[in-house]
């Protein structure tokens, strides 16, 4: 997504305070809000795994970690049984968001839904859903990182510090039942035990670091040795690398836990995409077909020296970084609507209103010719390069009044501030 801003030539003078310093220049890009978000992400990771440095050194993509010792309500701010009940009963809940699972088998959707006549599509019927729960099915709420505010914030912060997308699901399991039979996941995950307790039998991997295409099959679920056999009580969190076999069941109480899945980018992903992009950029050797008849027995070796060199490592890393910040990480928009309404109801700059960088966003900025391009997620806002110093001041994080701008004054300041408020990059912080 791309938008541009054009304005009259900026005024030459203006009162200014502050130096407009952001989070520094990295990889040729100026960053704003990154350090703030990484600090919050490190705190969230500490909450889940303890010391982050020890976690990355000893456990990341290697061995499970079980963090105990917290109070039973350690994660009550993220979700409670009461929250789960309100979601189910005060809905509506789309059937795509809710599954009922019994012994690794999802119940048919038609057993859980009713249809409204107003064209909204299938919605979960609270009575039918709770009947399934009463009969022993585990209820799974999917995609909570998209629509449940506490988990959306947590996933955003963890994603930032991990540089991999984190997603959230909630599992409500009735007493004495098993929702999913013995299996492994093809992504790493954190679990947060919210209420009740669950018994976990964790076994060593039979497939090392399985890819997303290496699903559970009978031959892959062979014999293994036990890594952990115990109970996770409320307030306990765990990190489980992909590939570890596990069987999970509730005990005598109802269990509610959150799973935070890490949708990681592997070197395989980076390489395959780098090769595709390499070929698309007029790299003709990579676009040629293999020699005619190459598959015949006795045919000459089709090896072409021009394609023996894979794209440079830097291209793979650059793609992975671009994918994360443009497509995987999503900024928060809390308060944006109110600022947009306030900006529309009166002239932002002319009224002397104070603005600051919107919370929960990471801004990337760079010079491109005579433009200063400001990017948030997949949106690019193109501004005149002449006002780059003013934009830096506005993005640095401290509150700014229009009179502090150095080059954009009067109508120019109104255009600049109003546009950045509308784009969700700035927010009005006073009345």
């Amino acid at each position: 997504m791309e938008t541009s801003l054009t304005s009259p030539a900026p005024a030459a003078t203006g009162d200014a305070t502050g130096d407009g310093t952001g989070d520094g220049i990295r990889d040729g890009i100026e960053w704003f809000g990154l350090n703030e978000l990484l600090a919050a992400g490190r705190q969230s990771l500490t909450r889940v795994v303890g010391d982050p440095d020890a976690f990355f050194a000893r456990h990341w993509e290697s061995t499970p970690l079980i963090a105990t010792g917290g109070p039973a309500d350690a994660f009550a701010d993220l979700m409670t049984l009461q929250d789960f009940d309100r979601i189910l009963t005060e809905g509506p809940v789309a059937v795509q968001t809710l599954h009922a699972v019994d012994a690794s088998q999802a119940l048919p959707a038609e057993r859980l839904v009713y249809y409204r006549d107003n064209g909204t599509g299938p919605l979960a019927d609270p009575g039918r859903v709770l009947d399934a729960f009463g009969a022993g099915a585990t209820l799974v709420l999917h995609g909570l990182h998209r629509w449940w505010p506490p988990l959306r914030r947590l996933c955003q912060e963890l994603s930032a510090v991990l540089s991999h997308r984190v997603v959230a699901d909630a599992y409500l399991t009735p007493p004495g039942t098993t929702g999913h039979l013995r299996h492994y996941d093809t992504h790493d995950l954190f679990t947060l035990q919210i209420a009740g307790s669950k018994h976990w039998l964790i076994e060593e991997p039979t497939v090392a670091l399985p890819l997303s295409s290496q699903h559970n099959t009978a031959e892959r679920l062979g014999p293994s040795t036990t890594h952990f056999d115990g109970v996770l009580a409320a307030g306990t969190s765990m990190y489980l690398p992909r590939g570890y076999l596990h069987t999970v069941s509730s005990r005598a109480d109802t269990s509610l836990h959150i799973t935070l899945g890490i949708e990681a980018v592997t070197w395989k992903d980076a390489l395959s995409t780098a090769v595709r992009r390499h070929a698309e950029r007029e790299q003709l050797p990579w676009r040629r077909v293999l020699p005619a008849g190459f598959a015949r027995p006795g045919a000459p070796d089709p090896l072409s020296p021009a394609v023996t060199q894979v794209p440079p490592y830097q291209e793979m890393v650059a793609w992975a970084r671009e994918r994360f910040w443009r497509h995987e990480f999503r900024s928060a928009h809390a308060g944006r609507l109110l600022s947009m309404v306030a900006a529309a109801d009166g002239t932002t700059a002319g009224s002397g209103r104070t603005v600051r960088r919107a919370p929960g966003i990471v801004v990337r900025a760079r010079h491109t010719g005579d433009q200063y391009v400001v990017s948030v997620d997949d949106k690019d806002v193109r501004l005149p390069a002449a006002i780059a110093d003013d934009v830096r001041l506005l993005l640095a994080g401290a509150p700014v009044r229009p009179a502090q701008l150095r080059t954009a004054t009067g109508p120019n300041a109104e255009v600049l501030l109003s546009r950045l408020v509308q784009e969700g990059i700035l927010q009005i912080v006073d009345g």
Side-chain angles (χ1 to χ4, degrees):
M1 182 182 299
E2 189 172 290
T3 60
S4 61
L5 170 69
T6 57
S7 63
T13 60
D15 296 332
T17 60
D19 60 7
T21 301
D23 294 345
I25 300 176
R26 308 172 197 181
D27 306 318
I29 298 174
E30 296 176 68
W31 295 82
F32 302 87
L34 178 61
N35 291 343
E36 179 182 318
L37 186 63
L38 290 177
R42 187 174 176 87
Q43 290 181 345
S44 291
L45 186 60
T46 299
R47 180 183 186 187
V48 174
V49 299
D51 180 10
D53 295 330
F55 165 70
F56 286 121
R58 302 171 191 168
H59 298 280
W60 174 248
E61 206 178 28
S62 177
T63 60
L65 168 65
I66 297 173
T68 60
D73 61 352
F75 305 117
D77 59 309
L78 302 175
M79 179 172 279
T80 63
L81 282 170
Q82 290 77 12
D83 291 330
F84 203 105
D85 176 73
R86 282 194 295 270
I87 291 171
L88 287 182
T89 59
E90 297 177 11
V93 178
V95 69
Q96 297 92 336
T97 302
L98 175 68
H99 284 164
V101 180
D102 188 6
S104 293
Q105 297 295 318
L107 273 63
E110 56 267 23
R111 289 183 53 183
L112 306 176
V113 304
Y114 67 91
Y115 293 83
R116 287 186 172 175
D117 295 330
N118 59 8
T120 58
L123 301 172
D125 182 292
R128 294 180 180 180
V129 170
L130 292 172
D131 284 345
F133 176 75
T138 291
L139 304 183
V140 186
L141 285 173
H142 293 288
L144 291 165
H145 57 284
R146 297 189 185 97
W147 55 274
W148 186 247
L151 287 172
R152 177 171 181 155
R153 288 192 296 271
L154 178 67
C155 290
Q156 181 194 44
E157 292 168 356
L158 291 175
S159 294
V161 78
L162 294 176
S163 289
H164 296 285
R165 184 170 181 246
V166 178
V167 301
D169 300 324
Y171 292 77
L172 183 71
T173 305
T177 60
T178 299
H180 288 85
L181 302 177
R182 183 175 183 258
H183 70 287
Y184 61 79
D185 292 301
T186 57
H187 58 270
D188 295 19
L189 57 87
F190 302 110
T191 67
L192 311 176
Q193 189 66 34
I194 304 296
S197 59
K198 271 202 167 174
H199 177 266
W200 286 74
L201 174 61
I202 300 174
E203 301 172 75
E204 297 293 333
T206 53
V207 179
L209 301 178
L211 298 171
S212 57
S213 58
Q214 294 177 295
H215 305 293
N216 290 261
T217 58
E219 59 273 17
R220 291 175 180 154
L221 296 175
S224 182
T225 57
T226 298
H227 179 89
F228 172 80
D229 186 354
V231 174
L232 302 188
T236 300
S237 59
M238 177 176 65
Y239 165 72
L240 188 67
R242 64 190 185 276
Y244 274 82
L245 296 156
H246 50 282
T247 307
V248 189
S249 57
S250 61
R251 304 179 74 206
D253 49 2
T254 297
S255 165
L256 174 61
H257 81 267
I258 302 294
T259 291
L260 305 174
I262 305 171
E263 296 187 344
V265 177
T266 67
W267 283 107
K268 185 230 18 138
D269 300 325
L271 176 59
S272 60
T273 300
V275 168
R276 176 181 58 78
R277 296 178 70 173
H278 200 62
E280 290 172 349
R281 288 197 299 268
E282 302 301 324
Q283 299 295 324
L284 292 181
W286 283 92
R287 299 164 71 162
R288 296 190 185 281
V289 300
L290 273 66
F294 79 93
R296 295 197 304 260
D301 190 333
L303 182 65
S304 170
V307 296
T308 57
Q309 299 298 317
V310 299
Y313 156 83
Q314 290 82 0
E315 287 191 28
M316 292 188 276
V317 176
W319 166 80
R321 287 175 176 159
E322 180 185 18
R323 166 177 163 163
F324 178 75
W325 289 113
R326 290 191 71 86
H327 303 292
E328 299 296 330
F329 178 84
R330 307 313 292 175
S331 295
H333 291 276
R336 179 180 175 185
L337 174 62
L338 299 180
S339 284
M340 293 172 69
V341 170
D345 289 346
T347 56
T348 303
S351 64
R353 287 176 172 171
T354 301
V355 297
R356 68 179 302 166
R357 186 185 70 243
I361 68 170
V362 173
V363 182
R364 313 178 306 280
R366 67 192 185 279
H367 280 279
T368 302
D370 61 353
Q371 295 181 326
Y372 189 58
V373 182
V374 175
S375 303
V376 176
D377 300 342
D378 60 346
K379 178 191 294 184
D380 297 328
V381 179
R382 297 183 178 274
L383 307 169
I387 61 173
D389 286 343
D390 281 345
V391 178
R392 291 189 186 99
L393 180 65
L394 291 166
L395 297 179
V400 178
R401 299 184 70 84
Q404 296 175 248
L405 301 183
R406 295 183 174 93
T407 54
T409 59
N412 298 317
E414 291 182 16
V415 172
L416 174 62
L417 270 62
S418 295
R419 184 53 178 275
L420 294 181
V421 168
Q422 290 293 326
E423 298 289 359
I425 295 171
L426 298 181
Q427 286 189 1
I428 298 172
V429 294
D430 68 359

